[in-house]
Amino acid sequence: QKEVEQDPGPLSVPEGAIVSLNCTYSNSAFQYFMWYRQYSRKGPELLMYTYSSGNKEDGRFTAQVDKSSKYISLFIRDSQPSDSATYLCAIYRYSSASKIIFGSGTRLSIRP
Amino acid sequence: DADVTQTPRNRITKTGKRIMLECSQTKGHDRMYWYRQDPGLGLRLIYYSFDVKDINKGEISDGYSVSRQAQAKFSLSLESAIPNQTALYFCATSDGQGVNQPQHFGDGTRLSIL
């Protein structure tokens, strides 16, 4: 079983829609949860991170974590064509040799 | 100029050839990483280095080697390339450990092994 699972999509929605992107993870020891955005022919860039259950908001983006069900979500409000990208969830557990584990990414397209 | 620069951006080569992918950074970070990205598999860690004298294997290091020539330079070698090493390769850097020390990625090298 993969440590983090993510629906690859693709997901296509009209401009202005609310987008929901989701991941599940298997190990309850993971403490930190991140979302990276990757534009075509570019490297991933960190969008948001959180370490607790609940919501964290940053502009049009909201990251949500439910540790009891091992489920993480990213919501995008008022989606724009410029949000079209691949979104990767990532999980992390702090230790001396800790590494980030990435999901496979969901490709999102916002139609004008 | 990009903070993390990868060369080449694209490479097509034949099975059995030796390939070197190079990464240089101007961010002054001690930590550097090499990942490969495959459809459906996400980013997987090949090797990482926490400083010039520190090299560590990631989850998929077989068939690869690395060299940390300086704080700013970290190269990845495929000694004898095989077709299943066809992938998108990314170099990344970070200033420390933890989510508040995010990894900064280059724009990748698209490698095709025929």
Side-chain angles (χ1 to χ4, degrees):
Chain A
Q1 181 186 10
K2 289 183 180 178
E3 292 188 275
V4 59
E5 300 268 9
Q6 184 174 9
D7 186 334
L11 181 63
S12 179
V13 301
E15 183 176 354
I18 296 175
V19 175
S20 172
L21 304 169
N22 308 293
C23 288
T24 58
Y25 62 97
S26 58
N27 189 337
S28 58
F30 285 104
Q31 304 156 309
Y32 300 95
F33 310 92
M34 294 157 280
W35 286 95
Y36 279 76
R37 178 176 59 195
Q38 183 178 14
Y39 290 116
S40 180
R41 299 189 61 78
K42 292 289 187 180
E45 58 179 342
L46 181 65
L47 192 59
M48 296 182 70
Y49 71 86
T50 185
Y51 58 84
S52 59
S53 283
N55 295 348
K56 181 179 181 179
E57 193 172 313
D58 184 0
R60 295 183 296 108
F61 298 88
T62 299
Q64 185 177 82
V65 176
D66 182 347
K67 289 188 175 182
S68 62
S69 57
K70 303 189 191 68
Y71 197 83
I72 57 177
S73 301
L74 178 70
F75 298 97
I76 308 175
R77 292 186 303 278
D78 187 24
S79 56
Q80 304 294 310
S82 59
D83 295 327
S84 297
T86 296
Y87 290 80
L88 298 93
C89 62
I91 56 178
Y92 177 84
R93 178 182 61 198
Y94 184 81
S95 72
S96 60
S98 56
K99 295 168 284 292
I100 298 174
I101 299 173
F102 290 88
S104 56
T106 299
R107 189 151 54 97
L108 173 66
S109 175
I110 308 297
R111 305 188 304 270
Chain B
D1 288 339
D3 294 324
V4 183
T5 302
Q6 293 184 234
T7 55
R9 290 296 312 277
N10 297 279
R11 179 79 185 268
I12 301 173
T13 192
K14 295 181 179 179
T15 297
K17 294 291 188 180
R18 184 178 187 274
I19 307 298
M20 180 180 286
L21 309 183
E22 300 191 2
C23 177
S24 63
Q25 53 120 344
T26 59
K27 299 190 76 65
H29 291 167
D30 285 329
R31 299 178 181 222
M32 299 187 74
Y33 310 81
W34 275 105
Y35 290 91
R36 64 177 280 176
Q37 187 175 39
D38 299 273
L41 295 177
L43 284 161
R44 292 182 292 166
L45 185 63
I46 306 172
Y47 270 96
Y48 61 103
S49 169
F50 284 172
D51 65 41
V52 174
K53 297 180 181 179
D54 177 77
I55 301 289
N56 303 282
K57 292 182 177 181
E59 60 180 300
I60 54 162
S61 59
D62 287 348
Y64 301 95
S65 63
V66 292
S67 174
R68 185 81 184 266
Q69 301 96 323
Q71 186 207 36
K73 295 184 181 296
F74 192 36
S75 59
L76 175 72
S77 294
L78 289 67
E79 296 301 326
S80 179
I82 56 177
N84 73 3
Q85 292 177 312
T86 293
L88 190 53
Y89 289 84
F90 286 101
C91 173
T93 74
S94 70
D95 197 20
Q97 194 172 352
V99 293
N100 60 342
Q101 304 287 353
Q103 294 189 10
H104 298 262
F105 287 81
D107 287 337
T109 294
R110 188 169 298 276
L111 180 61
S112 296
I113 314 295
L114 305 179

